[in-house]
Amino acid sequence: MKRITVYTATYNRAYTLVKGYESLCRQTCKDFEWLIVDDGSTDNTQDLVQGWILEGLFEIRYINQENKGVNIARNIAIENINTELNMCVDSDDYLTDDAIEKVLSLWESRSDEKYVGLIALDCYPSCKIVGKSFPLGLKESKLSELYDRLGIFGDKKLIYRTDLCKKYPCPSYEGEKYYPNRHKYYLIDKEGPSLLLHEAICVVEYLPDGITASRYKRYIKNPVGLAAYRQFLISYDPTFKNICRQSIHYVAMNIIAKKGIGLKNSNYPVATLLMAPFGIALYYYIRYM
């Protein structure tokens, strides 16, 4: 059995998926498999992937499902992974040539079984690091500590133990197709820290039809789940600043979902009332962007 699964949820991205395939062909370590979950693509994704499978340059598994949204597709991927580690690589991203080798080398060098996985850096095609790098000398951390305590920002490449990912599937809501992965990652944080790999192993390109670029559309289409997500973020970090910030988003999502300001279902009704004017303003900003 391979030691790590690279998985990709994709929808009508055949034109860019090839970059990921070529990067996996170049890997200096072949101890991996690639799991592709096709979320109901109507382009030539299936034919493209079947061709790669026939080439047989490395192990590829392909799952084709009815279009249900990226978080459902990622849940399906995790359910079908049997390797110790897994790493999500989006359909418009690709790995550096030695990414698998560096990940497995660091994982094998660990001296303690407490670690839940590894966190590495992402970079742009120009090689510039996305966001902020880890503090020099820091060897381990929880993801939440990096973002909330150390001021790290920007996407990072997350490699987690598969058993923990199976333990914390991403929530789903009827009629909605997106829910932030950070919910799952913060729950995994409770299990222990991750090793830090101070190198970029994934090249990211934020394309016009990608998840990042369509942020405001996601708000409009997935308000119920995103309102619940804001409540989760407050419960995870109930500081004054975070309660206020998340309550603003909570109000806006409830208005989009036509549930008023969400006071009835709020776990923090006072904050919901106080932040309602700002949430209403955010709603109009999202609606008319």
Side-chain angles (χ1 to χ4, degrees):
M1 180 186 294
K2 303 298 185 181
R3 287 183 291 175
I4 184 171
T5 297
V6 177
Y7 71 93
T8 301
T10 186
Y11 175 69
N12 287 345
R13 308 301 293 282
Y15 74 97
T16 186
L17 198 61
V18 65
K19 291 183 179 180
Y21 173 69
E22 291 174 346
S23 76
L24 292 174
C25 289
R26 295 192 300 267
Q27 289 304 303
T28 55
C29 174
K30 301 296 186 181
D31 198 1
F32 69 91
E33 67 172 6
W34 191 20
L35 175 59
I36 301 169
V37 178
D38 186 347
D39 192 34
S41 293
T42 56
D43 61 4
N44 65 323
T45 294
Q46 183 169 358
D47 292 338
L48 189 67
V49 175
Q50 293 297 342
W52 294 337
I53 292 174
L54 290 174
E55 288 181 7
L57 298 182
F58 57 88
E59 187 173 338
I60 300 176
R61 284 195 291 151
Y62 175 73
I63 299 174
N64 193 349
Q65 68 171 29
E66 177 186 345
N67 181 254
K68 298 179 180 179
V70 64
N71 61 309
I72 299 297
R74 288 172 176 170
N75 279 346
I76 294 296
I78 294 298
E79 290 173 8
N80 285 274
I81 291 175
N82 300 310
T83 55
E84 180 184 10
L85 298 174
N86 68 83
M87 168 170 47
C88 179
V89 176
D90 290 340
S91 56
D92 51 359
D93 299 340
Y94 57 94
L95 295 179
T96 60
D97 294 357
D98 55 359
I100 299 297
E101 180 180 356
K102 287 180 176 177
V103 165
L104 293 180
S105 177
L106 179 57
W107 186 246
E108 290 172 354
S109 71
R110 70 194 189 284
S111 58
D112 198 310
E113 297 301 317
K114 67 182 179 180
Y115 297 110
V116 302
L118 308 90
I119 305 175
L121 300 174
D122 283 347
C123 69
Y124 298 107
S126 64
C127 295
K128 179 182 178 181
I129 297 299
V130 175
K132 185 177 180 181
S133 299
F134 310 134
L136 291 176
L138 187 64
K139 296 182 178 181
E140 64 179 59
S141 177
K142 296 184 176 183
L143 181 67
S144 55
E145 292 175 346
L146 290 175
Y147 285 123
D148 302 334
R149 185 171 63 84
L150 297 178
I152 302 300
F153 61 92
D155 289 338
K156 302 294 176 273
K157 186 48 56 190
L158 309 175
I159 305 98
Y160 281 125
R161 283 169 34 199
T162 301
D163 62 326
L164 295 178
C165 291
K166 290 180 183 292
K167 184 177 179 180
Y168 300 110
C170 193
S172 60
Y173 293 84
E174 185 175 357
E176 298 189 354
K177 296 183 177 181
Y178 175 79
Y179 188 92
N181 255 351
R182 193 174 292 188
H183 178 278
K184 174 175 69 178
Y185 299 149
Y186 276 17
L187 290 176
I188 292 175
D189 264 2
K190 295 181 178 181
E191 303 279 352
S194 294
L195 293 166
L196 299 183
L197 178 56
H198 290 247
E199 296 184 66
I201 65 167
C202 187
V203 182
V204 301
E205 297 187 85
Y206 298 111
L207 300 179
D209 61 343
I211 294 175
T212 302
S214 59
R215 178 175 55 182
Y216 294 117
K217 291 181 180 178
R218 294 204 312 268
Y219 288 166
I220 298 296
K221 294 180 179 180
N222 307 279
V224 176
L226 290 176
Y229 174 65
R230 296 298 173 175
Q231 294 265 65
F232 165 77
L233 290 179
I234 294 176
S235 66
Y236 192 89
D237 178 27
T239 58
F240 178 77
K241 180 180 179 181
N242 191 53
I243 290 173
C244 292
R245 179 173 180 268
Q246 304 305 338
S247 293
I248 292 171
H249 285 267
Y250 173 77
V251 169
M253 294 304 99
N254 275 284
I255 295 174
I256 293 172
K258 299 180 180 180
K259 295 186 177 183
I261 63 172
L263 188 62
K264 181 179 179 180
N265 296 319
S266 175
N267 296 329
Y268 309 89
V270 174
T272 298
L273 279 173
L274 291 176
M275 294 298 109
F278 303 100
I280 293 169
L282 177 60
Y283 161 75
Y284 281 107
Y285 180 79
I286 293 169
R287 175 63 71 179
Y288 298 107
M289 270 294 295

